[in-house]
């Protein structure tokens, strides 16, 4: 009989639940809402109930369930404890203990969502075939995940791979969402790129197709850059320079085989990876100059894949 | 009968050989010269001969030798292969294979010296009691070693922890020893600190005790800062700001429990760690703000301790 495992991506809005064969094939996926009310106390029971229902539907006995991997949008200590997760309304929770009690399943692992997405991309996505990987996720914010010898680098405070908050500009005056200043996220997130575009348009009166829009976005900047708009190209260049140099610093620290770029901004495609790689090589320590660049491939499923990988 | 192991620190001038009990106590240490002539081909046979002689003197049979740990001043791949080591005259050498053939000993591990020193400091030095550690060595250059969950982070090109070559200043015009520009080593190594001091003295005609010296050194800068010289204090502040901010970036990547500062410059003591820690906290991601700072304690013995730890 086949063995199964769950890979569950617990987000601020929905919980994505993936049932996988032990061979790593996605058998069935569905979503349930993340009920954040009452300090998020319904979330784990809801997940346990969904797991129970899926096991019943697929006639899976506990003996044939290899485990549950779960990611959460917050810092995780010792693959076990979530240490305050604002997005879910949680304080300090031992997720493994609670979920074991609720499900009776013993092999449960939990980790931070950005780290788990990196693991998923290593296993089945843009980082396939590699063991040492850095993933940077350019979305509303900037997240990161680092894999060393096939394992998540979680960090001693659950802050491993928090590269969105690395200092890249000493002289910034505007605050980052975290309360400090000059962080990577302020320049290379979707919101950061839109901000750089607004600033660029204000600084000059050079013509640009970007002036046509009421509301600028990272996507519009990349689209117009691809269409040849000079100012848009300069903004893309500025963003990729900051990102490439930051990644060169990261490579001096963990020296990965491949850097995977994901998140909404990565839909820009090769203009993003190629320009970033060029600035990366300019700044990288010579031994790391040939580090590969790849685009993420799993999109919103990366979390489920990475989560199940932790228990397979 | 007691079991033993060797921890060997292979430097550009001497080879430090430590014989340890399996319990990790240093039993005997001595040095032999590093014979770099003829492409360094005598180095491993010399080490094998020293090991043989020590085993004879201490009546250690191969059965009672738990292994040999060795560090080298160059990049190492897969704990085995040295990939070009200019300081020793070596090209690509499978050190484990050659040393096994020469000694008949099976359990041999090799790693980069800066990484091994970090392991030594974690085990018996300034990082005792910790599992996740970053060590930065401020000497003629700046080296680094990163330990994650008790293991060296060697990197996919052997460049893990090469933090001396992380970009910290985009607008630098002077070249780093590695051929690129704006690297941490250019500001926080002993030579870098002396350079900053020379520049500071040239930029102003404010009085300073540092003007008395024909030749400036990092040591003189720190000594005068401790004596209250204002300009020297400003230079120390500048150095610690660059170092503290760089370490805050590193903490966003690997999130260690402790940061250990070693190398000749670290003899400056708490003025160095405390000022650096202050700038670190200013820039660090909030989850990492309380990362501990410590001074290295093992000095030149860190390599032997770290090397033997790899095989114990």
């Amino acid at each position: 009989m086949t063995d199964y495992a769950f890979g569950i991506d617990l987000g601020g809005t929905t919980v994505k639940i993936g049932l996988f064969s032990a061979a790593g094939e996605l058998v069935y996926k569905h979503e349930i809402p993340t009920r954040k009310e009452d300090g998020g106390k319904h979330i784990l029971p809801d997940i346990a109930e969904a797991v129970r229902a899926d096991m019943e539907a697929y006639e899976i006995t506990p003996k044939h369930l290899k485990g549950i991997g779960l990611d959460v949008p917050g810092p995780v200590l010792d693959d076990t404890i979530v240490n305050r997760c604002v997005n879910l309304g949680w304080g300090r929770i031992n997720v493994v203990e609670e979920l074991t009690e609720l499900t009776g399943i013993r092999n449960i692992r939990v980790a931070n969502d950005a780290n788990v997405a990196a693991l998923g991309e290593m296993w089945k996505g843009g980082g396939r075939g590699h063991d040492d990987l850095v993933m940077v996720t350019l979305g509303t914010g900037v997240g990161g995940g680092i894999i060393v010898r096939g394992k998540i680098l979680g960090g001693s405070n659950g802050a491993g791979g928090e590269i969105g908050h690395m200092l890249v500009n000493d002289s910034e005056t505007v605050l980052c969402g975290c309360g400090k200043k000059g962080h990577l996220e302020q320049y290379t997130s979707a919101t950061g790129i839109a901000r750089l575009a607004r600033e660029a348009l204000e600084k000059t009166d050079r013509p640009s197709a970007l002036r046509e829009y009421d509301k600028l976005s990272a996507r519009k900047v990349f689209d117009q850059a691809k269409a040849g708009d000079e100012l848009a190209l300069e903004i893309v260049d500025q963003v990729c320079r900051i990102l490439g140099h930051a990644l060169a610093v990261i490579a001096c620290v963990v020296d990965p085989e491949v850097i995977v770029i994901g998140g909404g901004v990565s839909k820009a495609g090769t203009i993003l990876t190629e320009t970033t790689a060029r600035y990366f090589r300019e700044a990288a320590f010579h031994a790391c100059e040939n580090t590969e660049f790849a685009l993420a491939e799993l999109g919103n499923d990366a979390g489920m894949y990475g989560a199940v990988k932790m228990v397979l």
Side-chain angles (χ1 to χ4, degrees), chain A:
Chain A
M1 194 186 154
T2 322
D3 283 345
Y4 293 89
F6 284 96
I8 301 178
D9 174 24
L10 169 46
T13 312
T14 60
V15 186
K16 295 185 187 65
I17 298 168
L19 177 64
F20 291 78
S21 72
E25 294 305 317
L26 180 62
V27 174
Y28 171 61
K29 66 173 176 176
H30 63 116
E31 295 187 8
I32 59 172
T34 305
R35 288 202 287 150
K36 285 174 286 189
E37 59 266 31
D38 308 325
K41 73 173 183 185
H42 308 295
I43 296 174
L44 290 179
D46 285 355
I47 289 175
E49 173 52 29
V51 162
R52 197 202 52 71
D54 287 354
M55 287 176 71
E56 198 175 290
Y58 282 82
E59 296 178 1
I60 303 167
T61 62
K63 212 186 106 191
H64 289 284
L65 190 74
K66 293 191 84 73
I68 301 173
L70 178 77
D71 73 37
V72 298
V76 178
L77 303 177
D78 302 326
D79 307 337
T80 308
I81 293 164
V82 172
N83 196 10
R84 226 167 60 104
C85 187
V86 188
N87 289 337
L88 302 177
W90 286 1
R92 191 180 174 92
I93 289 190
N94 188 322
V95 174
V96 168
E97 207 174 274
E98 291 202 18
L99 207 52
T100 300
E101 200 162 300
L102 287 162
T103 60
I105 307 297
R106 296 207 153 269
N107 184 25
I108 297 180
R109 300 281 292 276
V110 57
N112 168 269
D113 55 0
N115 293 339
V116 166
L119 190 64
E121 290 290 341
M122 178 197 84
W123 187 39
K124 298 270 190 184
R128 265 192 317 279
H130 296 285
D131 241 10
D132 291 298
L133 170 152
V134 167
M135 180 165 174
V136 52
T137 304
L138 308 175
T140 315
V142 170
I146 292 166
I147 309 292
V148 175
R149 294 185 184 176
K151 295 226 161 86
I152 288 172
L153 198 170
S156 69
N157 301 290
E162 276 289 358
I163 59 181
H165 300 286
M166 62 186 269
L167 180 68
V168 297
N169 179 6
D170 253 355
S171 52
E172 179 61 73
T173 54
V174 177
L175 289 183
C176 178
C178 74
K180 298 198 173 175
K181 286 182 288 203
H183 289 181
L184 183 63
E185 175 162 307
Q186 294 183 270
Y187 312 97
T188 64
S189 64
T191 37
I193 295 167
R195 173 174 81 107
L196 292 182
R198 280 192 306 274
E199 290 176 1
L201 290 174
E202 278 164 24
K203 248 194 299 206
T204 145
D205 50 11
R206 284 164 55 199
S208 165
L210 292 174
R211 296 195 188 277
E212 310 295 313
Y213 300 108
D214 282 342
K215 202 165 178 278
L216 282 172
S217 68
R219 180 168 177 176
K220 286 165 192 160
V221 172
F222 276 99
D223 282 350
Q224 290 302 336
K226 287 185 213 171
D229 185 88
E230 236 179 71
L231 204 64
L233 277 166
E234 284 175 25
I235 299 160
V236 166
D237 203 67
Q238 183 188 8
V239 168
C240 293
R241 182 170 197 266
I242 294 170
L243 182 60
H245 285 184
L247 290 168
V249 166
I250 294 168
C252 279
V253 184
V254 294
D255 183 15
E257 296 168 310
V258 62
I259 293 169
V260 177
I261 304 183
V265 174
S266 72
K267 289 185 186 136
T270 50
I271 185 176
L272 172 68
T273 44
E274 285 176 7
T275 318
T276 302
R278 183 156 51 79
Y279 281 112
F280 172 87
R281 283 191 290 271
E282 172 184 284
F285 184 52
H286 57 78
C288 312
E289 266 174 17
N290 296 317
T291 305
E292 284 178 41
F293 275 75
L295 286 163
E297 292 177 6
L298 300 176
N300 290 331
D301 287 352
M304 287 190 310
Y305 277 97
V308 78
K309 180 73 174 93
M310 294 193 288
V311 295
L312 282 181

